[in-house]
Each structure stands twice: as structure tokens, then as C-alpha cells.
């Protein structure tokens, strides 16, 4: 599951270091800055030069699935992905005082593309097989073919965003079985073979090729055998340079890549060791382009095949047959709020209200207090003001609500004005909740379509409702494309429980591009009181850790909207190598807002977060009956199983993945966040019940 507290990610702000009377008598960690030097010779090399007072070491997540540590901070990194790419790099300074600070920078890398580069990546120098990137957003996308067509040229309308929409349907599941193999001979000639396992997923406009009569896309028997010659050439036509490698592949003899739209020419948008992203144009409608993602690892298996396990010796279990707290010899707790990076709303506790063993079952219960915990502020009419009195409204919350991004344990939403009086009688306002347990720098941001005009306007006014006098409200303006370009200014509330207009002086803001508005309410203060939602997360860390085996967990899942239960495992070396280098095995995840569909995932370098290797399947009674959720983890493969049937994700394990060392088990229910989504406004409580956890080797 992606909500790892072990990845301490201070999303927009750096933490203020705290003094510690340790043996070093060290200066508190502070003032983290990062300078970068990007080579202009096409080598892809970047030199990072961070600096911070009181730092003893620095950790890097380079944004391409690799990580590193440096004692001095200075480090040279060479990126290998050809073409023009932007990488988001996270640098964490580790202080002698035990605190950490994090800064994020973006580096733009342009590695000139040659035929040999593409051939090497496509074939690994000899032969390489690619698979559909099932369950990744945009594994099959549809968008306009060129500028001038209605819609955004580059970002296609996603045709399918989840694997089960294509891989779990009879009309399209053949799409997910395809194997695309590229080979190169000693002369440098490239050939291609599509193994479609006997069937091809046809676009509805092209089914006449196979005599089809369906009025929708469908799988048909179709022979794709035989090698096809591949020609790699420069792309011609209306193609933005920053959004393509500038190269294309042309397949001889009617060759095509997995989804049949009549085309044999594929523009290469992005290509790395793990990802191939292409665009092709529909021959029946040249105004449409199809986008397809492939990965170097198979992401789905599927079918009714039963698991033939190699592990039958029970080495560890918990049958939950003793009432009370979970067995302390097996489980410990994660405690805290905010979901550690996923914008979740719960606070994890070790209270019996949230986790208890009774009647032969482990019960993890998420509860809602019915009211928002912590500190709640309201705000409205974010407005630029000129010295002469002119105004420009940035956001008044009366139209389409902006897309908020929360961090540090805060949560933000547009609601009806709870106090339509005094300074503000408008209908809708923004609500910012700093939940109990949230970070002192918790807040949220929203992006604006056009940069703020700080030449004409010298201040910003925001109507604010605060529960207390003297609350610090910090405004931070940022450049979305360059996090090093920002300006911060504070204002302080002077009344409580009524509206007032706070003014933020922007006259000294540097002449940057500002298209992101960040707000921190009660900045620097830890909220107190009960959290809006509580839950539990238990783990076997340092108590039971293992390498390889079959894990079987029998569970019944919650159904309420906003619940996000998970049964998963994390690499035990996370504190040494970080995430995703440590690896993550999500045995089962479920979302109450998409009830009775379960998913499994693998996170590792190159395939983490939204690019994880994911599979999903419907389980019609997941929330009303107990089902067995199983992973079979061997040195050669990782397979996910529901009720003894191999459902999805037959992953090829190897020495190059992180799935060859100790992991520990985790069980939890999160609320809301990036996957859990909107929480039911009437939510009171819901539980995940676990009958047993068993590990065989």
C-alpha cells in the first residue's frame, strides 16, 4: 500500500529541525537548499549540490526508480532514458539531531535519440518481450491526433484506467495476454513478433477485417504469427518536440502492436528499460490517436488456473483465538495521522476501539467522530488587489471546485458557508481541516490556469474564518514547473469565529511564474483534540520477517465509501534503502467506493506509485463473506490468488528485483486519500475482520 510513513515526504515545506541535547551537541538541522548542474553534452549527467546546517548525510530518490546516499551531499547521477524527460528528485537531509528535512527539485534531461539507443532499449541488445501495462493509468488512451482538433492534443482522454476494465471482461481480456517480442541480429536489423495467444482485441471500426459484426470493440480469432521487419525513422508532421522522442517504428506485412486500429506505424513517446509508450493513428479516423503503454514485466496472468503451490510447511500463523489486544509476540502498531503522503484522513491508534481480537477474529475498525477533529478554518474569495484598488478574483468556490492536493495530514474541501454573515455571505467556501496528529506544516494547494499577475497586483486578500485569534496563515505562491521558484508571506487572524479579510503583501515577490496557491492554516502549530477518523495499522516488523513463501489471509472487508483496507508486506530494509527500493507486495487492496473489486500490486524501482504492477478482479461478496487472499512468492515469480484461483499478476521475479530479502506483514484500514477517495458523509464506522494469517514455506 502506498501510504508509507517510512517515506517521510514533507510535500511542500521543509521541516523545522528541533534541538536535541545529544552527545554531539549539534546544531539543529535547518536551511536545506539544493543546487543542480545539468550537463549540456547529451550524456544525461546531473551534479546535485545540497547544503544544510547540521546535516550528517543526504538521501536521494532520483525520480527514475533509483536511490542513493551521500555523506557530503554532492553526488553525480547519470540518467539513461532517451529523449526529453523531466525527473522529480527528492533530497532528504539527515541531521545529527535526529530530524530530517526534505526538498524536491525537477531536472530536465535531454538525451539525443539515435536508432541504436532505441534498438538497445527495445531488444536488450538481443531479444526482449514487452507486455501491456495493465492497470496503469493510460495503458490504452484515446485523444486528438493533432492540434486544432477539439480537446487537448497531448493529454489523451483515458480510454481505460484500470486493469479489470479490460482484463476482467470477456470482450477484451485477450488484450491483456499479448506478448510483443523485439529482436536484433548481428547486422542491426530489428524484427518483431506478436504472440496474441490466438485472439486480438479489435477496434469496432476495423472488425470487418475478421468478418465481425459487433457494434463495440471485441476479441476475435486472428493469426499474428511470423516475424515482421521493423524500420525505425524520424517522425514527420505536427509533433511537439518536448512530448516525443521524435522517432517512430514501422512494421512490415501489416504488423501492429496489440490493439488493432489498422495502423502499422507507431510513434515512440517514451522509452526506458521498463516502459514503452507509443501513439498510433486510426486509419479509419485520422483525427484520432491511440496511446498504449507497455512494460518489460507481465502485469496480469488471469483465468481459472488453480495455484499449484510449492510451499506446504506452516512456519508462522495467527489464528486470533485469544480475546483482547493482538498478540504482542506477533504484532506491533503504526501510530499517527495523515497517511504519510497519501492525503488520508485517519489517525492510526492502538486503541481497542480500533483494533481488537474477539470471537476468534481480528477486527480492525475505522471510526468517524461525526465532526472534524483538530483545527478547522474556512476561507473564501482569494483575490489579487492592485495598489490603486483594482481586483482580480483567483478563486471564489462558486463554480467548479478546484482540485485540492493535501499534505501533512490536512484535508480540504468546498462546503456550504457555515457562517454566512459579516464579511462573507457567499454560498460556498473552502474548508481546511488540520486533523489531530497532523504535521505543523500541514496544508493544501490548488493550481490556477494562468500565472498570477503580480505586475498589476501587489497584494492578495483572502477572507478567513478562524476558531482562534492569533492563528498564523501562511500563503505560499509557487511555480508548478520549478519548485525552486516560490514566495511566502504570513498573516495573522485578529478575530475568532467570524469572517475577516486578511491581506498578504506580495510587493517583494521575485519576478517568477506563480501558478500554484498553497495555504497553511495554524502554521507551526500541532492540532489537538480527537481526529475526525481513527483506525489501526498493525505490523509484524521485527517480530516476524521472512523471505519467500505463501501468505494466506482470510478476511471480510468493509464496504463504506472512503474505506481503503489493505493486506500487504514491506521490505524490512526500508530504513536502509528507502521506498520503492525496498519493495512492496500488496496482497489485497479494496476501495469502498468501488465495492467488491479487489486488487493486488507490486511496487519497486521503475514501477511504483501510479506505475506499479497491478491486477484486479471482481469478488462479488468481498464485503459480506470471508475470502482467502494469497500471495505465492518464490525466487522465480510472485502470484496473487483469491480463493485458491490464480487471478492476476504472475510476476517474473529475478535477482534484479527487491523481492529477494526479508519482508514483514501489515494490515490496516485507511480513510479517503489518493485511492480511498471521498468519504461517505454519513460514515460512522466499518470493520475489516480477519479470521487468520498463515505463512507457509
Amino acid at each position: 500500500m502506498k501510504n508509507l510513513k517510512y517515506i517521510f515526504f514533507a510535500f511542500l515545506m521543509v521541516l523545522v529541525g528541533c534541538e536535541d541535547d545529544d552527545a554531539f551537541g549539534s546544531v539543529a538541522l535547518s536551511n536545506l537548499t539544493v543546487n543542480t548542474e545539468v550537463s549540456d553534452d547529451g550524456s544525461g549527467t546531473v551534479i546535485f549540490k545540497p547544503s544544510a546546517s547540521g546535516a550528517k548525510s543526504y538521501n536521494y530518490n532520483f525520480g527514475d526508480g533509483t536511490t542513493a546516499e551521500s555523506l557530503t551531499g554532492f553526488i553525480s547521477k547519470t540518467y539513461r532514458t532517451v529523449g526529453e524527460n523531466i525527473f522529480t528528485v527528492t533530497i532528504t537531509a539527515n541531521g545529527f539531531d535526529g530530524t530530517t528535512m526534505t526538498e524536491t527539485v525537477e531536472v530536465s534531461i535531454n538525451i539525443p535519440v539515435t536508432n541504436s539507443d532505441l534498438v538497445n532499449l527495445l531488444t536488450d541488445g538481443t531479444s526482449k518481450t514487452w507486455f501491456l501495462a495493465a492497470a496503469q493509468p493510460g495503458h490504452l488512451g484515446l485523444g486528438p491526433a493533432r492540434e486544432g482538433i477539439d480537446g487537448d492534443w497531448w493529454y489523451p482522454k483515458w480510454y481505460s484506467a484500470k486493469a479489470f476494465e479490460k482484463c476482467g471482461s470477456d470482450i477484451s481480456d485477450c488484450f491483456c495476454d499479448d506478448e510483443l517480442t523485439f529482436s536484433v541480429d548481428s547486422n542491426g536489423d530489428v524484427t518483431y513478433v506478436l504472440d496474441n495467444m490466438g485472439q486480438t482485441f479489435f477496434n469496432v471500426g476495423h472488425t470487418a477485417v475478421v468478418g465481425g459484426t459487433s457494434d463495440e470493440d471485441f476479441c476475435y480469432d486472428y493469426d499474428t504469427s511470423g516475424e515482421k521487419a521493423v524500420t525505425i525513422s524520424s517522425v514527420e508532421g505536427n509533433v511537439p518536440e518536448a512530448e516525443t522522442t521524435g522517432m517512430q517504428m514501422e512494421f512490415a506485412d501489416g504488423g501492429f502492436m496489440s490493439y488493432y486500429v489498422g495502423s502499422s506505424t507507431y510513434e515512440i513517446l517514451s522509452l526506458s528499460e521498463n516502459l514503452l509508450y507509443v501513439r498510433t493513428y486510426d486509419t479509419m479516423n485520422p483525427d484520432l490517436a491511440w496511446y498504449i503503454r507497455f512494460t518489460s514485466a507481465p502485469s496480469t496472468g488471469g483465468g481459472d488456473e488453480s495455484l499449484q503451490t510449492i510451499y506446504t510447511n506452516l512456519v508462522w500463523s495467527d489464528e486470533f483465538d485469544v480475546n483482547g489486544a493482538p498478540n504482542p509476540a506477533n504484532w506491533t502498531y503504526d501510530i499517527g495521522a495523515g497517511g504519510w503522503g497519501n492525503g488520508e484522513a485517519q489517525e492510526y491508534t492502538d486503541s481497542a476501539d480500533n483494533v481488537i481480537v474477539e470471537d476468534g477474529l481480528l477486527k480492525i475498525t475505522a471510526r468517524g467522530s461525526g465532526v472534524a477533529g483538530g483545527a478547522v478554518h474556512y476561507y473564501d474569495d482569494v483575490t489579487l488587489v492592485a495598489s490603486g484598488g483594482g481586483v482580480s478574483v483567483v478563486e471564489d468556490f462558486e463554480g467548479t471546485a478546484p482540485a485540492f492536493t493535501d499534505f501533512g495530514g490536512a484535508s480540504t474541501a468546498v462546503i456550504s458557508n457555515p457562517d454566512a454573515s459579516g464579511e462573507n455571505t457567499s454560498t460556498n467556501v473552502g474548508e481546511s481541516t488540520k486533523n489531530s496528529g497532523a504535521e505543523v506544516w500541514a496544508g493544501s494547494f490548488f493550481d490556477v490556469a494562468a500565472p498570477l499577475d503580480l505586475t498589476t497586483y501587489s497584494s492578495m486578500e483572502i477572507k478567513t474564518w478562524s476558531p482562534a485569534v492569533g492563528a498564523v496563515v501562511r500563503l505560499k505562491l509557487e511555480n508548478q514547473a520549478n519548485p525552486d521558484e516560490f514566495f511566502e508571506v504570513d498573516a495573522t487572524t485578529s478575530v475568532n469565529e467570524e469572517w475577516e479579510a486578511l491581506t498578504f503583501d506580495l510587493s517583494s515577490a521575485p519576478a517568477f511564474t506563480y501558478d500554484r496557491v498553497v495555504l497553511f492554516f495554524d502554521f507551526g502549530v500541532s492540532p489537538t483534540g480527537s481526529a475526525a477518523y481513527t483506525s489501526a495499522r498493525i505490523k509484524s516488523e521485527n517480530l516476524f520477517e521472512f523471505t519467500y513463501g505463501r501468505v494466506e489471509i482470510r478476511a471480510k472487508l468493509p464496504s463504506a465509501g472512503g474505506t481503503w483496507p489493505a493486506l500487504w508486506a514491506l521490505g524490512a530494509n526500508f530504513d536502509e534503502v528507502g521506498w520503492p527500493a525496498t519493495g512492496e507486495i500488496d496482497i489485497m487492496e479494496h476501495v469502498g467506493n468501488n465495492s467488491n473489486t479487489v486488487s493486488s500490486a507490486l511496487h519497486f524501482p521503475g514501477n511504483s506509485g501510479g506505475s506499479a504492477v497491478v491486477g484486479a478482479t471482481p469478488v462479488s461478496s468481498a464485503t459480506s463473506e470471508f475470502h482467502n487472499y494469497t500471495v505465492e512468492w518464490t525466487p522465480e515469480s510472485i502470484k496473487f490468488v483469491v480463493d485458491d484461483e490464480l487471478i492476476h499478476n504472475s510476476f517474473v521475479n529475478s535477482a534484479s528485483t527487491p523481492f529477494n530479502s526479508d519482508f514483514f506483514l501489515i494490515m490496516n484500514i485507511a480513510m479517503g486519500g489518493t485511492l480511498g477517495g471521498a468519504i461517505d458523509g454519513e460514515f460512522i464506522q466499518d470493520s475489516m475482520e480477519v479470521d487468520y494469517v498463515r505463512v507457509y514455506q
Side-chain angles (χ1 to χ4, degrees):
M1 192 174 177
K2 296 177 278 299
N3 55 332
L4 303 178
K5 84 171 183 178
Y6 316 108
I7 317 161
F8 180 71
F9 179 51
F11 189 64
L12 295 164
M13 295 292 298
V14 295
L15 269 177
V16 179
C18 299
E19 302 236 356
D20 185 9
D21 295 329
D22 60 15
F24 295 97
S26 59
V27 175
L29 182 65
S30 62
N31 302 324
L32 174 61
T33 60
V34 181
N35 293 317
T36 60
E37 295 180 3
V38 181
S39 65
D40 57 6
D41 59 1
S43 65
T45 300
V46 183
I47 298 175
F48 295 90
K49 298 180 178 180
S51 175
S53 300
K56 66 177 181 179
S57 65
Y58 299 82
N59 292 97
Y60 286 85
N61 185 325
F62 292 112
D64 65 345
T66 64
T67 59
E69 182 177 9
S70 171
L71 295 178
T72 64
F74 283 40
I75 198 166
S76 177
K77 162 68 176 177
T78 300
Y79 289 90
R80 301 296 185 188
T81 304
V82 298
E84 186 167 333
N85 296 275
I86 296 176
F87 297 94
T88 300
V89 183
T90 302
I91 303 95
T92 301
N94 305 297
F96 284 104
D97 62 356
T99 63
T100 61
M101 299 177 68
T102 300
E103 187 60 84
T104 301
V105 299
E106 288 187 343
V107 292
S108 179
I109 309 296
N110 187 7
I111 302 177
V113 182
T114 66
N115 283 19
S116 60
D117 291 327
L118 297 183
V119 170
N120 285 334
L121 288 169
L122 279 172
T123 67
D124 268 349
T126 53
S127 183
K128 185 174 184 177
T129 300
W130 296 85
F131 308 86
L132 180 73
Q136 290 191 23
H139 70 259
L140 179 60
L142 173 64
R146 61 184 186 278
E147 288 184 294
I149 304 299
D150 184 32
D152 191 307
W153 190 90
W154 168 239
Y155 294 102
K157 170 186 175 182
W158 299 131
Y159 187 71
S160 173
K162 296 182 182 297
F164 55 83
E165 294 180 4
K166 294 299 170 192
C167 303
S169 170
D170 290 340
I171 69 169
S172 56
D173 60 358
C174 68
F175 181 45
C176 304
D177 297 331
D178 291 353
E179 298 182 1
L180 296 74
T181 302
F182 290 86
S183 302
V184 61
D185 62 20
S186 58
N187 297 320
D189 294 328
V190 180
T191 57
Y192 167 78
V193 173
L194 170 60
D195 184 355
N196 70 344
M197 309 298 172
Q199 286 198 321
T200 287
F201 188 34
F202 270 77
N203 177 269
V204 63
H206 300 271
T207 57
V209 172
V210 287
T213 59
S214 174
D215 59 357
E216 60 181 331
D217 294 4
F218 207 82
C219 285
Y220 291 93
D221 293 342
Y222 194 64
D223 184 6
T224 60
S225 61
E227 287 188 344
K228 317 289 185 184
V230 181
T231 301
I232 298 176
S233 61
S234 298
V235 173
E236 296 181 359
N238 185 18
V239 179
E241 291 183 359
E243 292 149 356
T244 178
T245 62
M247 308 294 282
Q248 66 183 19
M249 297 180 290
E250 297 180 77
F251 298 94
D253 303 321
F256 62 96
M257 296 183 72
S258 200
Y259 181 52
Y260 193 97
V261 293
S263 175
S264 293
T265 301
Y266 293 80
E267 179 187 352
I268 302 173
L269 301 179
S270 180
L271 177 60
S272 65
E273 292 180 357
N274 299 313
L275 176 68
L276 170 60
Y277 190 26
V278 299
R279 170 169 52 208
T280 191
Y281 302 101
D282 195 317
T283 58
M284 297 292 289
N285 187 346
D287 289 338
L288 294 180
W290 290 97
Y291 300 72
I292 315 177
R293 294 180 189 268
F294 300 95
T295 67
S296 58
S299 55
T300 59
D304 297 326
E305 177 187 352
S306 297
L307 175 68
Q308 302 299 312
T309 185
I310 64 173
Y311 298 121
T312 58
N313 181 34
L314 182 66
V315 297
W316 185 89
S317 69
D318 198 326
E319 304 295 325
F320 304 114
D321 51 7
V322 177
N323 287 350
N327 185 348
N330 290 344
W331 307 103
T332 183
Y333 304 86
D334 277 328
I335 305 294
W340 301 292
N342 285 320
E344 298 160 25
Q346 81 287 337
E347 178 181 2
Y348 287 125
T349 82
D350 58 1
S351 167
D353 287 339
N354 297 117
V355 57
I356 194 169
V357 176
E358 58 183 13
D359 303 322
L361 300 172
L362 169 73
K363 299 178 181 179
I364 296 178
T365 302
R367 298 181 182 272
S369 66
V371 296
V376 182
H377 291 74
Y378 307 106
Y379 64 104
D380 198 7
D381 295 340
V382 180
T383 304
L384 290 170
V385 181
S387 57
V391 298
S392 175
V393 177
V394 178
E395 182 59 63
D396 62 5
F397 305 119
E398 298 303 328
T400 302
F404 295 108
T405 299
D406 301 317
F407 52 88
S411 57
T412 311
V414 174
I415 66 167
S416 297
N417 189 345
D419 184 9
S421 64
E423 284 276 345
N424 188 21
T425 59
S426 67
T427 302
N428 297 322
V429 300
E431 177 189 58
S432 176
T433 302
K434 196 171 183 180
N435 296 297
S436 176
E439 303 291 351
V440 297
W441 40 263
S444 70
F445 67 80
F446 63 88
D447 295 336
V448 295
L452 302 178
D453 180 5
L454 299 194
T455 301
T456 304
Y457 304 97
S458 58
S459 64
M460 179 174 282
E461 184 179 277
I462 303 177
K463 292 178 181 176
T464 304
W465 189 103
S466 173
V469 174
V472 175
V473 181
R474 172 162 294 185
L475 169 69
K476 183 179 183 182
L477 303 181
E478 284 188 345
N479 181 350
Q480 296 177 40
N482 184 354
D484 290 334
E485 296 186 357
F486 65 88
F487 178 71
E488 295 178 336
V489 60
D490 293 347
T492 304
T493 61
S494 61
V495 297
N496 68 296
E497 297 187 348
E498 63 180 271
W499 287 99
E500 66 176 320
L502 296 181
T503 299
F504 299 84
D505 183 6
L506 308 179
S507 60
S508 61
F512 297 146
T513 296
Y514 299 109
D515 53 7
R516 174 170 289 169
V517 178
V518 192
L519 284 166
F520 310 80
F521 290 92
D522 258 351
F523 183 78
V525 175
S526 295
T528 59
S530 300
Y533 304 97
T534 59
S535 185
R537 186 159 99 175
I538 64 173
K539 57 186 181 179
S540 68
E541 182 183 10
N542 297 324
L543 299 172
F544 174 69
E545 299 174 348
F546 65 105
T547 304
Y548 309 135
R550 174 165 59 93
V551 181
E552 182 177 316
I553 304 176
R554 184 168 176 80
K556 182 171 66 173
L557 310 178
S559 61
T563 56
W564 176 7
L567 311 169
W568 53 299
L570 182 69
N573 63 345
F574 70 88
D575 53 348
E576 301 171 7
V577 303
W579 185 93
T582 188
E584 178 182 332
I585 303 173
D586 295 333
I587 303 169
M588 187 289 306
E589 290 185 280
H590 178 268
V591 176
N593 287 316
N594 185 23
S595 195
N596 293 324
T597 293
V598 300
S599 64
S600 300
L602 295 169
H603 298 262
F604 55 101
N607 293 85
S608 61
S611 297
V613 175
V614 181
T617 189
V619 179
S620 61
S621 57
T623 62
S624 60
E625 299 178 7
F626 284 88
H627 293 270
N628 288 2
Y629 301 100
T630 301
V631 62
E632 175 110 342
W633 169 29
T634 79
E636 292 77 33
S637 68
I638 301 175
K639 299 178 180 180
F640 295 95
V641 175
V642 177
D643 294 335
D644 298 324
E645 288 188 357
L646 182 62
I647 301 297
H648 47 70
N649 286 28
S650 182
F651 175 79
V652 178
N653 199 17
S654 70
S656 64
T657 77
F659 305 111
N660 297 286
S661 57
D662 276 358
F663 276 60
F664 59 88
L665 298 171
I666 306 174
M667 299 188 290
N668 69 288
I669 301 177
M671 293 296 298
T674 53
L675 188 59
I679 300 172
D680 184 345
E682 302 300 318
F683 178 83
I684 299 298
Q685 70 178 64
D686 208 345
S687 298
M688 174 169 64
E689 297 180 345
V690 181
D691 187 11
Y692 58 76
V693 180
R694 298 169 182 168
V695 179
Y696 299 83
Q697 287 184 326

